[in-house]
Amino acid sequence: MISTQEHVTMATMGGLAGAVLGAAIGGALFGFPGFLTAAVLGGIGGTIFGSFM
């Protein structure tokens, strides 16, 4: 059983990693609008993924 602090930490780290990867890939492929969109979507996806780790 993990604690609440561990759960929140993993969700936060997943969100940060998702946002960074999304921004890098979106910016490389689509420029500034892609950078913003992919960072937001990557952050949401990373948070959801991180919360289940």
Side-chain angles (χ1 to χ4, degrees):
M1 193 80 182
I2 65 169
S3 68
T4 304
Q5 183 179 6
E6 290 171 327
H7 177 78
V8 171
T9 301
M10 289 305 294
T12 304
M13 295 305 290
L16 287 172
V20 168
L21 289 174
I25 294 169
L29 294 177
F30 304 112
F32 188 70
F35 166 81
L36 294 176
T37 304
V40 169
L41 293 177
I44 293 168
T47 301
I48 293 169
F49 179 74
S51 69
F52 289 110
M53 291 185 77

